[in-house]
């Protein structure tokens, strides 16, 4: 089975696609995008369903707008990221030793 998603504000185009689907006896689903999803995530990631996570994101946006940021150049970012203990070992079932 395949799916086609059509998004338009033009009612004439929308009705034409509906009529085409009906003529070919193809099932279709109508939904109003503005009211169907309250999640800001296009993929509906459950992370964005948690109000605490959204509040932290909003606080971060406000911090950036008000200049409360630490700017790092490329070398500083590289040094910072490479200083983390990023050691990873495979579980014994997956290791080849």
């Amino acid at each position: 089975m395949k799916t086609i998603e059509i998004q338009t504000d033009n009612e004439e185009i929308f009705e034409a696609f509906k009529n085409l689907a009906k003529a070919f006896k193809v099932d279709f689903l109508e939904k109003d995008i503005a009211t169907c999803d309250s999640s800001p995530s296009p993929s509906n990631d459950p992370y964005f369903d948690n109000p605490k996570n959204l509040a932290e994101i909003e606080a971060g946006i406000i911090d950036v707008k008000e200049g409360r940021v630490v700017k790092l150049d490329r070398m500083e970012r590289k040094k910072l990221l490479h200083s983390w203990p990023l050691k990873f070992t495979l579980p014994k079932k997956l290791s080849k030793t």
Side-chain angles (χ1 to χ4, degrees):
M1 180 182 280
K2 293 185 179 184
T3 301
I4 296 174
E5 182 175 327
I6 299 164
Q7 297 179 7
T8 182
D9 291 333
N10 185 316
E11 193 65 31
E12 184 179 351
I13 293 171
F14 184 72
E15 289 300 320
F17 272 101
K18 279 177 42 178
N19 292 334
L20 184 64
K22 287 176 186 176
F24 280 99
K25 298 180 181 168
V26 175
D27 294 329
F28 60 92
L29 174 67
E30 289 181 51
K31 62 181 180 178
D32 185 3
I33 294 176
T35 60
C36 70
D37 297 322
S38 61
S39 174
S41 169
S43 65
N44 291 321
D45 186 329
Y47 176 85
F48 294 96
D49 293 337
N50 185 334
K52 181 181 175 191
N53 295 342
L54 292 177
E56 289 176 357
I57 291 169
E58 289 294 326
I61 292 170
I62 291 169
D63 285 343
V64 169
K65 286 181 180 177
E66 294 182 0
R68 292 187 301 258
V69 295
V70 176
K71 294 184 180 185
L72 302 173
D73 65 23
R74 185 176 180 187
M75 291 307 294
E76 290 170 323
R77 283 192 305 269
K78 186 174 182 179
K79 183 180 176 183
L80 178 66
L81 293 173
H82 287 291
S83 67
W84 288 359
L86 297 175
K87 295 181 180 177
F88 175 78
T89 56
L90 290 172
K92 289 185 179 185
K93 290 181 185 178
L94 299 176
S95 90
K96 296 187 179 197
T97 57

